[in-house]
Every structure is written in C-alpha cells, then in structure tokens.
Amino acid sequence: MNTAKLIKKIVFSTLFVVEVAVLTLPVQTLAATAPASKTTSRLPAARTVIPSSKAQKSSSVKKIKTPVKPVPASPAPLTVFSPNGSLLRPHAPATPAILGENIKKYAQTIVNDKPIVLSGFDVMEIKNTHYIQNGNITLKDSAKLIITNSYFEQRNTAGMAPRLEAKNYSQVVIKNSEASFSPWIVWNFTDKTQLFIDALKVTENPGDANVYYEITGDTKAEIRKALFTASVTDQADVTIDKSARVVLNLALSGGAIVNEQFPKNITDYSFPGYDDRNVALKLKITNAVAPEWGVTIYPTSNVTIRDTEGLTIGFSVISPWVGATATFENLRPGYYADDKFGFSQTTAQFWDRNMKIHLVKTTVKAWSPMVGDDNTLILKNSEIAELPWSWGNAKIILENSTTTFIRARQSVEITAKNSAINGDITAIEDGKINLIHTRVLGKKIIQGKGQIVE
C-alpha cells in the first residue's frame, strides 16, 4: 500500500469504491405499509416480508402500552469538526427508545431490534408508520430505503451509537416525515449513492440530537426543508434549499486554491466560486441559514477565508511532507483581522511544498490539527480543540498551550510542556505521552504498550 492510499484510509475512514455487478435478483420490497388498524410489532430479519396480519399474530409482537419517559436534556455539544471531517464526539451513552408523546397518530408502530441490511435491488418502504430502529442500517448495490409520511427513530444500543452506511448505487429517500435520533448517530454515504430529503422535521425530544451526515465519494445529496449537519468531501455534489440550519465541514483536497467568504444568511450561494481552483466537491445552497462552517486543509493548499463567522479549521501535516517539522503559534479561537499561517518544506525534488492559511475579518471557533507518518507538529501558545487523530511515527510538541483531550496511538509521541489538558489523556498501542510541568484534569489511560511519562 503506497503512502497516498494509507493516508486516505486513515483520514477518511473506510471508503471503498466498488463496481456493482448487474444482479438478476427480483425486486424485493420490505414494506411497513399501513394496515387498517393500529399495531405494534417487532420485525425479524430485515429482508423478510411480513404482512401486517401475520405480524399481529407473531409471538415476537410486543405491544407498547405506555411511552418511555424522555431522557433528561443534556447540554448541547459544541459543534467542532475533526480533521477527518467528522464532528468531535465523546463516547455515546445508551439511550432508550423515546416514543414521542406529542407526535401525530400513525397507522402502526414497529420496533426493530435487528440490523437492517438491504442489498441487490431490495426496496424497504416505511409509510404512514412510527418506526423505531435500534441498531445499524446498511445499504449496498442498488438497494433503496424510502421513508414517507412517517415518524422514524434510530436509537443507541448497549452504549454504542448505530450508523447508516450507504455504498455502491444505493439510495435513501425521505419525504414529509418526522425523525428523532440518539446523540452521535452518523449516516455515511459514499461511492455513487444518493440522498434525497424533502420536508423532514427533527422532533425535539429531550436528550436527542441531529443526525450527522458524511457525504463522500461521488454521492449526490438533495436536501429541502430539513436541518443538515454534514462533512462534504471528494467529488460529492450537495444541493440544499429552505433549511433553517446548515452546518458544513468542507474537506479541501491537496493543492486547493480557495478565496472564499462563507455566508451565514444565504439567498443563493455556490461553492467552489469563480476564482477557486482544484476543488472537486460541489455545493449549492439557497434560502438557508448557515451559522457555522468548517474547512479541512491539506498540504500544498492555499486557502484564504474572509468575512466568515463560526469557523472551525482543521489542517494536516502529512504527505507530501516527509520528515518535516511544522511550527504553528497563537492558534486560538477568536477574531482574526488579517493573519497568515502556514508551513513550507523545500526538498531536492520539490522547491516548495507549502500550505497557506489566510484569515481576513474572520471569527474562528476552533482549531483542530493532526500530523502523520514521520512528521513533527509543534504548537506554541495555542488553544486546540483536541489531539487524538495523529498516526504513524509522528510527534507532537505542545508548549504553553491548552487542549481538551490527547491520544497517542500507533507509535505517536506527544510531549506537553507547561500546558494544560482539560480532559483525559490516552496512550494506546505503542503511543507515548510525556508530561512536563503539565496539568491533566481528566483521567490518565494506558492500553497495550502505551506509556505516560511524568
């Protein structure tokens, strides 16, 4: 595996571009279609068609007589993006199914405790139904999940947040529906998948959160009348209209040249703009509000951001830099009138492998860097969101700075001098953490051959 492939695997998790063979399977529909009377059922394996009359007689049927008490509300987490485009998130606690007390009446209620797996040309339609999914959802090949005029819930189980994974040519279509999600649930779309949402209301049950979308590969997403929090990368094509809240992290490919203002109140906005270069993703937003933005910047990029509020900046000290030591100072949340940050490495093969970040009249909400391979990242007099993502034999030196959490994994070595860590520190695998006149407010966790040296 070459370096470029290794980096892409680590940074963007598992993104497989799979060519789909033409399947000769018959079209199979898995429907939660409304019967004449209201029922409450538990579905067995997701690929079995169960007529509603049989579901009523099944021994697996469990009638829900009273709603579960709502979980007490917890403080809304700070929206901060990690360098791989995801939100920074703690371990997700278990959340029992919350059956909304104020939702309208649906023809039936279905509780499914098993994973939903759709493949081939499977079509699962949830229609006029209150559907509670306690577990993962997987779509591949040319499968479809359709939710229409329904109330859909996805819930944490056993302390873990489930996911929706869509790949190949699969589709998710949601129309005129309501939804509720336990915290930290992610819906990931990659390859040539499609996501269509037209009028989705996220109900505000105590303890719930919005689902987080990862739009990657050649995915096409069309969002209308719905809240949308997502990372967008690769060649993804996203269209958003009439959204009361849009929060996006845009992963800019290496070599990107960007000169951009990310607006808050949007009438008509497109990205990349006319003077942006080497940006593969496409974004079109109309009639929406975007109070927060995020960008993830890679080496050889030249990025200028101006007149923007609520910006999270992630950047990476990775290939094509090799054996480099990059020093950044005074990275803090706050207002930047006209400030430049960056790093360059000159080698015999390349005159200038650079990364330039220019902020003009812009308010930064958080900084979120990482480093990989044999490179070294030095952070001085800074306030960093978290430092858990670095890999390889990388080194991080934190001087006179603060962060909320650090993790040394693989063979990463982190040295904190005259600094403060306001959360946990974790050394796993062959990772090592050196503490020199540094305060740790959280736990000190060691796993495998990890070391914490004080």
Side-chain angles (χ1 to χ4, degrees), residues 350-398:
F350 297 91
W351 174 250
D352 190 14
R353 292 172 161 176
N354 62 71
M355 179 178 68
K356 299 177 182 178
I357 306 171
H358 187 191
L359 303 177
V360 181
K361 297 180 181 178
T362 290
T363 301
V364 174
K365 188 171 186 178
W367 293 88
S368 184
M370 72 175 181
V371 57
D373 301 323
D374 295 305
N375 295 313
T376 298
L377 171 64
I378 300 176
L379 300 166
K380 296 182 178 181
N381 305 312
S382 296
E383 184 178 337
I384 305 300
E386 287 187 335
L387 291 168
W389 309 106
S390 301
W391 76 91
N393 298 308
K395 291 181 172 58
I396 299 175
I397 300 174
L398 193 69

Side-chain angles (χ1 to χ4, degrees), residues 98-100 103 130-131 133 151-155 178-182 185 187 200-205 208-211:
I98 301 173
L99 308 185
I103 64 172
H130 180 187
Y131 195 99
Q133 172 61 19
Y151 177 45
F152 180 84
E153 298 186 57
Q154 190 174 20
R155 295 297 170 193
E178 297 176 277
S180 294
F181 299 94
S182 295
I185 289 177
W187 283 20
L200 175 64
K201 178 184 178 182
V202 178
T203 58
E204 297 180 352
N205 292 319
D208 281 359
N210 294 325
V211 67

Side-chain angles (χ1 to χ4, degrees), residues 83-145:
N84 67 1
S86 300
L87 283 177
L88 300 178
R89 62 199 70 213
H91 180 69
T95 304
I98 301 173
L99 308 185
E101 298 182 8
N102 299 319
I103 64 172
K104 67 181 183 181
K105 301 297 182 181
Y106 292 93
Q108 65 176 351
T109 295
I110 294 178
V111 178
N112 183 29
D113 292 329
K114 296 184 178 181
I116 294 174
V117 180
L118 305 175
S119 61
F121 293 94
D122 287 345
V123 176
M124 178 176 180
E125 182 177 16
I126 299 172
K127 186 176 182 180
N128 194 21
T129 297
H130 180 187
Y131 195 99
I132 304 164
Q133 172 61 19
N134 296 317
N136 293 321
I137 304 171
T138 302
L139 296 92
K140 56 185 178 179
D141 304 327
S142 297
K144 292 183 180 180
L145 171 62

Side-chain angles (χ1 to χ4, degrees), residues 239-357:
T239 301
I240 303 170
D241 182 45
K242 296 182 176 65
S243 175
R245 180 177 172 85
V246 177
V247 179
L248 298 178
N249 179 69
L250 308 179
L252 307 176
S253 55
I257 300 174
V258 173
N259 185 353
E260 198 67 31
Q261 173 190 1
F262 295 113
K264 180 178 180 180
N265 298 304
I266 301 172
T267 301
D268 191 347
Y269 174 73
S270 296
F271 180 80
Y274 69 92
D275 56 352
D276 299 326
R277 301 288 184 271
N278 304 327
V279 177
L281 63 86
K282 295 180 182 179
L283 181 64
K284 174 72 172 178
I285 306 177
T286 52
N287 307 309
V289 178
E292 300 174 36
W293 289 86
V295 291
T296 301
I297 302 170
Y298 293 93
T300 71
S301 296
N302 188 340
V303 177
T304 297
I305 301 173
R306 49 189 168 77
D307 302 305
T308 298
E309 300 178 12
L311 180 68
T312 294
I313 301 178
F315 64 87
S316 305
V317 181
I318 57 175
S319 178
W321 296 335
V322 179
T325 298
T327 301
F328 292 84
E329 298 187 55
N330 301 315
L331 303 181
R332 298 178 181 276
Y335 179 78
Y336 291 84
D338 190 346
D339 296 88
K340 296 180 180 180
F341 304 87
F343 175 77
S344 296
Q345 183 188 39
T346 300
T347 66
Q349 293 79 23
F350 297 91
W351 174 250
D352 190 14
R353 292 172 161 176
N354 62 71
M355 179 178 68
K356 299 177 182 178
I357 306 171

Side-chain angles (χ1 to χ4, degrees), residues 18 76 82 141 151 163 174 218 234 247 273 299 305 379 382 420 443:
V18 181
S82 72
D141 304 327
Y151 177 45
R163 295 173 63 89
I174 303 175
D218 291 288
D234 298 328
V247 179
I305 301 173
L379 300 166
S382 296
K443 298 178 182 178

